[in-house]
Structures are given as C-alpha cells and as structure tokens.
Amino acid sequence: MVEYPETEILPVRAEIQRNAKNPEKAYERKAEEGKRPEKETGTQYTGVLSEEFCISCLNMPEEQRKSMILEIQQIAERILKAHGVIKEREDLLKGEWFLKLQKPEFEKKLVLAKSGEEVFIGFYIYPEEAPVPDPNFVLLSQYGFWYPQRIEEKFEETVASFFTGAYGDYDFLNIVPESVEKFQAFQRDFAKKLEDQGWEGPDVEVVEKMLPKD
C-alpha cells in the first residue's frame, strides 16, 4: 500500500467527511461543475482512506444510511440479502459477486453483479446470440455507495460519468449533468418496479449465484 504524507491526506479526509454527509449531493455538485467548460471536471471523494471511511459508513444507523444511498441501491441490497448473496454490509465492498434471478411470469432475467468498482443491476433478455440489457444500470462503487455511470438499453447507452484518464483515477472522472439527471429519475422508477414485482419473494428462482469474493 502506498504511504502518503499526513499533509496530503488531510485535504482528502476533509473532502471525504464533507461528502459522507450526503454523497448524492456531492455527486450532483460535481455534475454542476461539469457545466463549467473552463474547468476540468473531476472528483476527489475517493481518496486514500478508503478502508477507514468504508467502515465508518457501513456501521452508521440503517435509517441514516438509507437516506444517503440511491433507491436502486436500497432495493438491490434487499434482494441480495433475501437470496443469500450478502450477509453483512462489508460484503458490498468485495470485488466480485453475482446473482441472476427468474420469475415464472417474466421473460427477462434480473441480474445483479459487481466486478471491481462497477455494479450492474438490470433486466436481460437472452436471444441466441448474446444477453441483451433491457435496461441495465451500471454504477461506480466507492466506500459502500453506488454512483451513476451509465444506462444500457438494448443497443443504446446513456453515459452519466466517464474517465478521461486511467479507469479508476478519480481525478479524471467526468460527469455529464443532463445524463445524471436522467439516471436519477430512471433509477427511482426502476427501483419501484423491482419492489412492486417482488424480486425479494420466495417465488423467485435463483438461476445463478456467486458469493462475494475479493
């Protein structure tokens, strides 16, 4: 692990603590910065104190944490717990997990997965060629919070954020404000649909499952 001088850590810690109070507002603030063409858009809410920050956020009271995370993350966590993929909040921080679900009356399958820093939540149809998202939400996972990245709808894509440097270098995370707004509205509707359809229920078939691993 890289060691950082305390003088470099302090500004990052202050930014982390400020954004911990409301990560969605922090993301929206960065989106507003994206409207300023004279400034390189980026974010620093992913710094060098990830382990310390994760533990403090994951241990906060349920209602407090619920008010801070996206609706799609709330319902996804409930579904993952209902089907035995995650048992503790700390499992969300692990590098990989996977869950594919099927309901008798649905042609589409629901997939929830994490690979590295990306979380995938969406419906897929399975023609002979390859699985097709309809739709699929891709989110960036940092500190136990999931942030908008893109929406995949069949063969179209709405990009909410992207890296102009190396993937995962958050100094070069660029945000598309109008796409973030679309993502926020769409994910609320999608979360409500998942809840109404009962994907946490006993009638749901687990087609494939991989427990969290680093």
Side-chain angles (χ1 to χ4, degrees), residues 65-166:
R65 184 171 179 274
K66 182 179 177 181
S67 69
M68 296 169 65
I69 62 178
L70 295 170
E71 290 85 351
I72 197 171
Q73 181 172 353
Q74 294 177 35
I75 185 64
E77 288 184 10
R78 300 208 308 267
I79 293 171
L80 291 166
K81 288 178 181 177
H83 298 290
V85 174
I86 61 172
K87 296 181 179 179
E88 306 293 338
R89 287 179 183 171
E90 287 78 6
D91 290 337
L92 294 169
L93 304 179
K94 296 186 177 180
E96 292 185 6
W97 40 258
F98 183 86
L99 179 65
K100 183 191 292 184
L101 302 174
Q102 175 75 64
K103 284 176 69 72
E105 66 272 27
F106 283 83
E107 176 189 3
K108 301 176 186 177
K109 293 179 175 64
L110 176 64
V111 173
L112 301 92
K114 182 172 187 282
S115 178
E117 296 182 353
E118 288 189 326
V119 174
F120 306 86
I121 306 169
F123 286 128
Y124 282 81
I125 54 177
Y126 286 81
E128 294 183 1
E129 310 81 44
V132 177
D134 189 27
N136 177 53
F137 294 81
V138 183
L139 303 103
L140 289 171
S141 173
Q142 285 291 306
Y143 308 126
F145 295 101
W146 300 348
Y147 297 92
Q149 186 169 38
R150 65 183 182 274
I151 305 170
E152 299 170 341
E153 300 178 79
K154 294 187 177 178
F155 302 104
E156 297 182 2
E157 186 173 85
T158 301
V159 176
S161 63
F162 61 96
F163 292 98
T164 53

Side-chain angles (χ1 to χ4, degrees), residues 28 31-32 35 148 160 176-188:
E28 290 175 352
E32 286 299 316
K35 297 178 181 179
V176 183
E178 59 272 19
S179 296
V180 171
E181 292 176 6
K182 177 180 178 179
F183 192 108
Q184 297 280 30
F186 199 179
Q187 66 86 25
R188 291 188 187 100

